[in-house]
Amino acid sequence: MSTPIDFYFDFSSPYGYLASRKIDELAAKHGRSVNWRPVLLGVIFKTTGGAPLTQIPLKGDYSKRDFARSARFHGVTEFSMPSPFPIASQAPARIILWAKAEDPNRVPRIAHAFYQAYFVDNRDISNPDTAANVAAEAGIERAAARSAVDDPAIKDALKREVEAAVAAGVFGSPFVIVDGEPFWGIDRFDQVDRWLATGGF
Amino acid sequence: MSTPIDFYFDFSSPYGYLASRKIDELAAKHGRSVNWRPVLLGVIFKTTGGAPLTQIPLKGDYSKRDFARSARFHGVTEFSMPSPFPIASQAPARIILWAKAEDPNRVPRIAHAFYQAYFVDNRDISNPDTAANVAAEAGIERAAARSAVDDPAIKDALKREVEAAVAAGVFGSPFVIVDGEPFWGIDRFDQVDRWLATGGF
């Protein structure tokens, strides 16, 4: 494995969810590993002036249609628009950062479980207890996961992680950086694929 | 030819330009014609609260990089970021509407000429005289094209056209509607292609 691909995402992001179902295979195809980096779009939007897609006039209705259609297009058969939406994603993001510090190999499994819980099973993972339950179902010690959500050191680590993402130019979800080259959106995965195959174009 | 594809675009939109280089072939592949429908993003953004991509923090730098990279990805070898950017696109849009009323078959040729002038030759087509020159080079009577820019009936037709686009849910450029199904962005052309091939998915 050479340099990992940086995969930034928000657990409340539908396109982030779709990308999460594609990123492992895409990276593996090119002999790359994936660094799963949860971010908080709500914080990032304070820098960019962005807003949740579904709340923007015209774009809101379109995006709800496009989420489901893009899921079908990309062969992600499991997708349902959750309610409430969007949600604050601090709880799952903190559990990921805590788990990554302990053992990064566990991270993809837990991240997939969080996305599955929210976008397939409509469980509100913004709730720390629910997030801890989902982590436990993914094989993580529940009490430790639950504690991570309120751990000041983990809170601070997530804050720094989001700041680092903004400093790296990340403004949306999903956002992939390959050897310094930034790609926004699952609709750039075709370009990511070619970039990885050719080293740039 | 069955029902035309509605192709909405702003002459100041880089992704609209890239799409303009792809839409004829895409439609022809599926036996469809294209209805070229110029719109004014500046007017539409009053409804959606949108802003020119290049002026948004973080997204601005990314988008300039992505315009050029997407041009290479889509095999559009002619592309250079013009200055000034963005521009008001009333002049070329009005000439298109006038030309369409006279003879719709001329429209693609003139539209390609406008996009070529701005995104390849860096000519400021917001200027009515420049726009009329470009139209003349595309085989249109110059004086008539120049008059169309200031014609109150054509001005009103463009206003109604933009209102109709907003009413149809159009909020960006390019924007394609196929048999009632909306697709935003050149990065949805892969979905448009499948939709045309399958009648929906």
Side-chain angles (χ1 to χ4, degrees), chain A residues 22-180:
Chain A
K22 300 303 215 180
I23 190 72
D24 292 325
E25 190 183 352
L26 177 59
K29 179 181 169 186
H30 300 285
R32 297 291 191 106
S33 58
V34 178
N35 187 8
W36 291 68
R37 306 186 74 159
V39 293
L40 305 173
L41 283 184
V43 176
I44 291 173
F45 286 165
K46 287 180 188 160
T47 296
T48 62
L53 270 178
T54 53
Q55 296 172 10
I56 299 171
L58 300 182
K59 215 181 246 193
D61 286 342
Y62 173 82
S63 67
K64 280 177 249 175
R65 188 171 190 148
D66 190 63
F67 296 155
R69 187 180 63 204
S70 292
R72 298 192 298 274
F73 182 76
H74 291 289
V76 179
T77 54
E78 297 183 305
F79 172 78
S80 70
M81 200 56 200
S83 176
F85 175 87
I87 54 170
S89 57
Q90 274 84 350
R94 286 177 191 152
I95 292 174
I96 290 291
L97 287 193
W98 163 79
K100 188 190 278 191
E102 302 272 319
D103 173 9
N105 292 325
R106 304 185 299 182
V107 166
R109 190 174 73 247
I110 312 169
H112 286 300
F114 283 140
Y115 264 136
Q116 168 93 16
Y118 188 48
F119 285 104
V120 181
D121 302 327
N122 196 17
R123 295 166 71 184
D124 182 359
I125 57 172
S126 70
N127 181 300
D129 293 323
T130 304
N133 288 343
V134 173
E137 290 154 22
I140 305 302
E141 209 260 300
R142 190 190 182 287
R146 180 64 188 82
S147 296
V149 178
D150 298 324
D151 182 332
I154 302 290
K155 286 183 178 183
D156 195 51
L158 178 57
K159 202 177 159 205
R160 287 196 311 271
E161 183 71 1
V162 175
E163 288 167 356
V166 169
V170 173
F171 56 82
S173 164
F175 202 102
V176 169
I177 299 182
V178 177
D179 305 332

Side-chain angles (χ1 to χ4, degrees), chain B residues 93-111:
Chain B
R94 286 177 191 153
I95 292 174
I96 290 291
L97 288 193
W98 163 78
K100 188 190 279 192
E102 301 273 318
D103 174 9
N105 292 326
R106 304 185 299 182
V107 165
R109 189 173 74 246
I110 313 170

Side-chain angles (χ1 to χ4, degrees), chain B residues 140-154:
Chain B
I140 304 302
E141 210 260 302
R142 189 191 183 286
R146 179 64 187 82
S147 296
V149 178
D150 297 325
D151 182 333
I154 302 291

